[in-house]
Structure formats: C-alpha cells, structure tokens
Amino acid sequence: MKKILGYSMMMMALFLATTSCDDVLDQKAVDAFNEESVFDDINLAKAYLGRCYDFIGADNNQVLGLREDLLAGATDEVLCIHRPGSYPSVKGIMSPDHLGHFGNWRFNWTTWALYGSVKNVNVFLANVDDVPVETSTDEELISRMKGEAYFIRAFNYANLMRSYGGVVLVDQPYELDADFLSAQRSSIDATLDFILSDCDDAIALLPDKDGIDQGRATKGAAAALKSRILSWSTGVLMNGGYEASNELVSFQSGSRTERLEAAKAAAKAIMDGTYGDYALTGTTDDPPVNMSQEDVMAYADNFFNIFTQKGEWNNEVIWGIQHLQSQGNTTTQNRWWGPNGYHNWGNNGPNEPVVRKFEMADGTPFVWDKYNAGDDFLREATATELEADPEINPYVGREPRFYATVLFDGAKWMDRPSDGAGIDPEGRVQTGYYIVSGDTTAGLDTRQSFIEGWNGTKNGYYLKKYQDPATVGQHFNNQNSWLEFRYAEVVMDYAEACIELGGSDLQAGLNALNMVRNRAGLPDRVTTDQDQAREWYRNERQLEFFGEGDRWYMMRKWMIADEVIEDVYLMKIYHYADGSKRWFYDTAKSVDDRAWDDSNYWLPISRTEINKAPQLQQNPGYN
C-alpha cells in the first residue's frame, strides 16, 4: 500500500531533482521555491497536494489517525483518566476562553484552525490548471488531483459545519492585502450548499477505489462525505430544535423532510454500488439461533479485525489510513489505552451505563436487576449459583460486539509481561479484588495494583477496540487502522433517514438496521412503531460506532446530551476464596463529575479568533 504521508521530504527531494549540476549556480534560493515554482512542475504540484492530505484536520493527520485522548471522552461513552478537565463540554463550563481539547491542540479537526488547511487547498485549486502537461496521462492526473482537492476542502468544511454551523466560506486564496475584517459567517444553508457542491465536483473528477492509490480520496469517499453531511443536516438540532430563527445554526429554507429524502438518496446510491463495490465485512445472513460461545467469538473477531487491517482494505472500508511499521506510520494505542497491569496507560475506559447497553447474545436486552428486581447497583452469587447460571456474571452471554469492544474483569487478553505473568498466567484482565481469609489483594489492572497503579481504570473497564493484540508492552508501536468512512455508516445513515421519514419507508429502514445487526451476530428488529424503531436505531448506532467519535455528533444532532451526560462511577468487583463473586456499581462517590449546558450543542469560536476578527458573530449562548 502506498501511503499519503511524508510529503515534506518529497518536496525537498523533488527540488533537488530539478536542480542540475550544470547550472547549480543559476538557481533560485530555497526561500524563492514558491507557488510559481511548485506549479511549474506536475510532480511538485502532486507533492503539494500530498501536503494538503497531511494537514487534513488542520495539523498533521489529526483526523486520519489514532490519538491518545478520544472525542468519545466528550460523550457518555468513555472516561479520559489523565485529562478529564480537557473536556469542558461535559462539565458544563465550555466557553470561548475555555475550550480544552476543542482548542487548537487535540481535536484540531473541530476547530477554526481548519482554515489553514482550506487555504492550502485553495492555493492548489487556483494554480493547478497552470501546471504544464505533456501527455494525456498528465491531463488525467491534473483532473484527478482537482477532485482530491475538492474532497479535502469539502471534508474540512463538513467538520467546521458540524462543529459551528454556518462558517466563513472561502474558495480563493487570500491576497496579501485582503481585508479580513470584512469576512462574515455564512448561513448554515449556504454552508451546506458549498460542501455539497465540492462533494459533487469531487465525485465527478475522482476514480473509483480500484483506480487510485489506497489512502487517496475516491468517488466512494466523496459520496460517503456527502451522505454524512446530508444525514447530519437532518438533525433536530439544526431543524428548529435550537435557536430556530438563527440562520447560523438552524436552516431557514427547505424542510427537514426534504433533507431526509436527500440523505436517504445519497446513502442509497452508495448502497446500490454507484460509486464502487462496498459491503459489510462478514455475513449479513440471519445469525444462528442459540449461538454457542464459539459462534459469538467468531462474530466478535470479525468485527474487531475491521480495525486492525493490514494491506489491502476489505470492502467495508471507504476511506481510512493504516498505521504500519513498514511505512513508519505508527501509533501506540496499546500504550495509551491498554491496562496498567501490562505497563500501559489505561486511558478511555468505557462507562458503565453504556456497557449495559450491549445486548445478550440472543438479542434480548441486558437487564442488570434480572436477579434482584429494583436493584440497579449490586449483583452477587455463590459458586453454586454461578455454575447453575453463568449469566449471573454480567460479562457472560453478551453480544459479540461487547467482546470486541470492552476489556472487562476476566476478559482474555494477551500474555502478561514478566512481572505479572506469575500472578496471571492466563492473561486475563483483573479489574477486581481478591479476598482470602479477610485479606484483600488488588487485581493487576486496578488503581491499587503494584504495576503502575496510577494508570489503572477509574470506572472498571478498558477499551479493547483499536488495540493490537500482537503488540505487547508499552515500548512497541501498534499496527492499526483508522477508518474515517466505513460502509456501516452509510447503511446506518440510510436506516435513520427511512425511519425518520416513517410510513412506507419505515420497513426499509429496519431492513438496513438489521443488516448491521446480523453482521454483528444479532437477530432482526421487528416493529411498526416509529418511536420504537428510532430508539432501537439510536442504541444500535452507539454500539456499532462505540469509541469512534460518532457519538459526539449524534448526541448533539439528536439533542439528547442532557439525557445521557451524567457523573461517572466505578464498578467494583470482588472475588472470594469460596468461588462467590460480587459486582457493585458504587454511586456513592463519582470518579468524574459531569454536567451539560445546552449552549455546548455548538462549539464557541475561540476568543483568540474573535479578537482577530471581531466582526464574526459568536454562536448563541456564548459571550
């Protein structure tokens, strides 16, 4: 696979290659190697476009890559244990002066810093038609590169729109004497139209996935972006749910029904194969009835392996990046997220309320108080009771994605490093405590562990998804994949549009929803009730995309953040010498206090940016 990274070195190599020995004294200085020089040579123009890829998301692949702190930490899904205060939106304290990760640092793809990337693309588009071409192949390359540039710009603007609503629309390079104080935010209607226009231009110019290096934009990627932004635009948030009369954050033209129809059509075109051959990985046939644990784990492995792909993509991937040792494009997910008992940093542990949303293997809901009605905090059982009904253990008998996503107490993981192998020869996660003759020994993966306890989980879980089981220890790089667009998102966007349209479309939406469920080893959902279908859909979406960042957009789109953002607590687990066990969700003291303020449904423009351009209108709810 050819990677689309490291173009700074390519630019220098191409500069040297265009300098002959004969005229070495008759060359432009390095500081004169400017736009004019770049667009005098097709290879330099190609390298410049590569740099535009490098800075998607404002700063060196902040979108197309894995990172230590997840956007999911700004939702109900996971807890960032090292920097919880950097998520001010779930503390109810976000302001233009206090953005935390939503400032120009961790989550750059959500920030005003994207205009740096937009500027680079605009320079490319303004000059690429002047690049000398000698062959029809050169002409085809120029056309394709323009399509890539339109995609990159649309991608950046889609992220701006999903963060702020209507934004400043710029499609030309700024001149040195440009009057930045005249720049104004456009309406959310105009912003959507701008993005869709760029998407359509990209679709028209780009090849399908078989006609371009893996990692570059394709027709399918541009179509998936179009589907994503149209689906986002159907949300309650921007269709009168929040500041209905404000054109920056709420549509003033058209109807939500029209937008739902557009989103449905965009997703369906991809599903019909218009832009290439895409499919869910694994079978979408009805799963076996009464699946064995072996069957469950086969489905779990199929799902887990989507995120550790190496080499040629499978058909689920529409656009993404691989972190591969052989290409020097690595990541350290195991170090950042793995259990402390493996000498890792334990970040981004799943929160208990969402852990409970994963169903049982037969598709029935997980019910915590199944054995003691009304008690949502305690489960306990003797060894005899556990032998008679293993599902008293809340981690037994769950759906496949649970085992692909969450590392829980007793989960089989990897072999321990030498200092823990004697205590845990099986390589099973230990987030509980072991009580023998009144003495308590902390599990290796708790905050009382003798192995780097300060990195232990605060809520009782670790995130398995995206980790690499072939990488042991914190001093080694992972080989993982980040999938920015995968086919499951398209299918779910189609399902949502159909369910929200209701009527004759409702069954089509359920059919699409059931494709995703069946691939996950779960049986069909069946209902004629739109509200029930909507509830099922939203739960399914969260579990399918758990940890991928999708939830931050969805809980805002649906305006449910005030319902789901709540304090985080620890699941305490006790193992006794006689084989009995106890699971206690301790809500007496939170490990992370949380609150929600409705103004945080949209990000504020930072004070720094407002000071640069004070004429810009701030989002509602912020001073």
Side-chain angles (χ1 to χ4, degrees):
M1 182 190 75
K2 297 181 180 178
K3 62 188 178 70
I4 314 303
L5 293 170
Y7 278 88
S8 297
M9 296 184 67
M10 183 184 292
M11 289 286 284
M12 181 57 71
L14 285 168
F15 169 68
L16 295 174
T18 57
T19 304
S20 71
C21 296
D22 293 337
D23 57 356
V24 69
L25 299 179
D26 187 25
Q27 299 298 316
K28 292 182 179 180
V30 173
D31 61 3
F33 195 62
N34 52 21
E35 289 177 18
E36 178 183 351
S37 304
V38 169
F39 295 103
D40 274 345
D41 183 277
I42 194 167
N43 290 312
L44 289 175
K46 184 178 180 181
Y48 184 96
L49 178 64
R51 288 300 286 160
C52 292
Y53 272 104
D54 282 350
F55 285 87
I56 286 176
D59 184 17
N60 203 17
N61 283 282
Q62 288 289 305
V63 170
L64 291 187
L66 293 158
R67 59 200 69 85
E68 182 180 354
D69 293 357
L70 289 175
L71 185 56
T75 75
D76 55 333
E77 290 186 346
V78 304
L79 172 63
C80 172
I81 67 169
H82 297 298
R83 286 162 293 277
S86 293
Y87 296 85
S89 60
V90 293
K91 305 289 187 179
I93 56 173
M94 179 177 278
S95 74
D97 302 294
H98 184 41
L99 290 160
H101 283 344
F102 294 100
N104 295 337
W105 183 39
R106 293 273 175 169
F107 300 156
N108 281 356
W109 72 93
T110 68
T111 74
W112 223 244
L114 283 172
Y115 279 104
S117 181
V118 169
K119 176 202 71 175
N120 294 339
V121 173
N122 285 343
V123 168
F124 180 87
L125 286 171
N127 290 279
V128 68
D129 285 333
D130 297 330
V131 174
V133 295
E134 297 179 358
T135 67
S136 60
T137 300
D138 288 346
E139 292 176 355
E140 291 173 1
L141 176 58
I142 294 294
S143 179
R144 190 201 79 193
M145 290 196 298
K146 288 171 67 175
E148 294 177 79
Y150 282 122
F151 169 81
I152 293 170
R153 189 169 70 185
F155 186 79
N156 284 324
Y157 268 114
N159 283 322
L160 283 168
M161 177 181 162
R162 293 198 297 166
S163 297
Y164 302 96
V167 292
V168 179
L169 300 177
V170 185
D171 64 358
Q172 297 292 326
Y174 277 116
E175 301 296 333
L176 290 176
D177 59 351
D179 178 13
F180 294 102
L181 295 180
S182 66
Q184 295 287 344
R185 293 175 66 183
S186 296
S187 68
I188 194 171
D189 293 88
T191 302
L192 176 60
D193 289 343
F194 185 95
I195 296 166
L196 294 178
S197 176
D198 271 1
C199 285
D200 287 340
D201 286 343
I203 290 169
L205 294 169
L206 288 169
D208 63 27
K209 62 181 180 178
D210 297 323
I212 195 169
D213 295 339
Q214 186 167 303
R216 290 187 179 275
T218 63
K219 285 186 184 297
L225 176 59
K226 181 177 181 178
S227 176
R228 173 183 284 182
I229 197 62
L230 282 170
S231 179
W232 163 257
S233 299
T234 66
V236 175
L237 177 63
M238 65 291 298
N239 283 278
Y242 184 78
E243 293 278 343
S245 62
N246 189 325
E247 69 171 7
L248 296 178
V249 296
S250 194
F251 291 113
Q252 304 298 304
S253 63
S255 68
R256 182 167 181 252
T257 298
E258 290 171 337
R259 283 182 275 279
L260 285 165
E261 290 285 3
K264 171 188 164 186
K268 188 63 164 59
I270 300 171
M271 294 168 68
D272 287 343
T274 305
Y275 307 110
D277 184 17
Y278 299 104
L280 297 174
T281 298
T283 179
T284 56
D285 294 338
D286 292 335
V289 178
N290 299 321
M291 284 198 298
S292 67
Q293 187 62 19
E294 184 179 355
D295 290 331
V296 170
M297 293 312 297
Y299 277 101
D301 289 343
N302 175 69
F303 184 73
F304 179 82
N305 290 338
I306 294 171
F307 309 101
T308 57
Q309 292 184 52
K310 304 169 182 69
E312 186 176 354
W313 291 123
N314 63 35
N315 282 340
E316 176 136 355
V317 182
I318 298 178
W319 192 51
I321 189 171
Q322 292 182 10
H323 298 270
L324 301 176
Q325 302 274 19
S326 61
Q327 297 181 4
N329 176 30
T330 58
T331 184
T332 53
Q333 247 40 56
N334 284 30
R335 180 198 303 173
W336 292 335
W337 302 353
N340 61 294
Y342 290 85
H343 293 280
N344 295 315
W345 298 355
N347 211 6
N348 302 307
N351 295 324
E352 177 65 26
V354 188
V355 169
R356 295 186 184 186
K357 290 184 179 183
F358 287 94
E359 298 169 23
M360 303 303 291
D362 63 1
T364 57
F366 169 80
V367 180
W368 177 270
D369 65 345
K370 174 181 177 181
Y371 299 94
N372 188 13
D375 189 342
D376 289 325
F377 308 101
L378 178 66
R379 271 196 184 196
E380 53 189 348
T382 65
T384 301
E385 290 170 333
L386 283 167
E387 184 177 0
D389 184 1
E391 290 184 4
I392 296 177
N393 184 330
Y395 312 130
V396 172
R398 303 293 288 274
E399 64 145 291
R401 283 175 308 195
F402 174 76
Y403 298 108
T405 305
V406 181
L407 286 175
F408 52 88
D409 184 71
K412 183 73 174 71
W413 190 218
M414 59 177 70
D415 292 341
R416 293 276 180 180
S418 59
D419 53 353
I423 298 171
D424 175 29
E426 295 185 17
R428 292 186 179 274
V429 174
Q430 296 183 358
T431 59
Y433 299 82
Y434 300 84
I435 301 174
V436 180
S437 301
D439 294 327
T440 301
T441 301
L444 292 173
D445 305 309
T446 66
R447 295 187 71 79
Q448 289 71 43
S449 171
F450 71 89
I451 302 177
E452 300 172 21
W454 58 89
N455 285 327
T457 175
K458 288 186 176 182
N459 56 12
Y461 301 98
Y462 295 93
L463 185 62
K464 179 179 179 180
K465 193 176 192 178
Y466 283 115
Q467 290 201 61
D468 177 11
T471 301
V472 180
Q474 63 171 287
H475 302 296
F476 299 93
N477 293 321
N478 290 53
Q479 296 196 102
N480 298 74
S481 299
W482 175 263
L483 313 184
E484 183 62 32
F485 291 110
R486 60 186 179 94
Y487 184 65
E489 180 181 351
V490 173
V491 175
M492 292 296 275
D493 285 347
Y494 176 77
E496 180 176 20
C498 290
I499 289 170
E500 291 297 324
L501 286 167
S504 60
D505 286 305
L506 182 62
Q507 188 57 52
L510 286 171
N511 291 344
L513 177 68
N514 288 331
M515 287 172 58
V516 175
R517 286 180 60 79
N518 293 166
R519 188 274 292 277
L522 293 170
D524 288 353
R525 296 289 201 186
V526 179
T527 187
T528 58
D529 183 270
Q530 186 182 31
D531 291 336
Q532 178 66 81
R534 180 184 296 115
E535 179 184 342
W536 282 341
Y537 169 82
R538 292 182 177 183
N539 186 74
E540 195 71 32
R541 181 152 191 146
Q542 181 171 28
L543 301 184
E544 176 71 19
F545 299 107
F546 189 98
E548 297 180 44
D550 183 78
R551 181 67 168 179
W552 185 67
Y553 298 101
M554 294 304 107
M555 74 178 196
R556 294 167 51 239
K557 169 184 175 179
W558 301 328
M559 293 192 71
I560 61 169
D562 61 315
E563 302 170 20
V564 301
I565 297 301
E566 55 186 326
D567 293 348
V568 179
Y569 300 99
L570 171 64
M571 174 58 69
K572 294 181 177 179
I573 302 166
Y574 301 94
H575 304 264
Y576 296 91
D578 62 1
S580 60
K581 299 183 189 299
R582 189 169 185 258
W583 299 266
F584 176 53
Y585 186 43
D586 187 359
T587 58
K589 182 180 179 181
S590 77
V591 297
D592 189 51
D593 294 335
R594 294 187 167 189
W596 180 258
D597 187 305
D598 281 352
S599 63
N600 297 161
Y601 275 120
W602 294 102
L603 293 185
I605 302 173
S606 74
R607 185 74 64 197
T608 300
E609 296 297 337
I610 291 292
N611 288 341
K612 291 177 186 176
Q615 81 283 358
L616 292 179
Q617 186 175 342
Q618 182 60 273
N619 269 336
Y622 301 105
N623 295 320

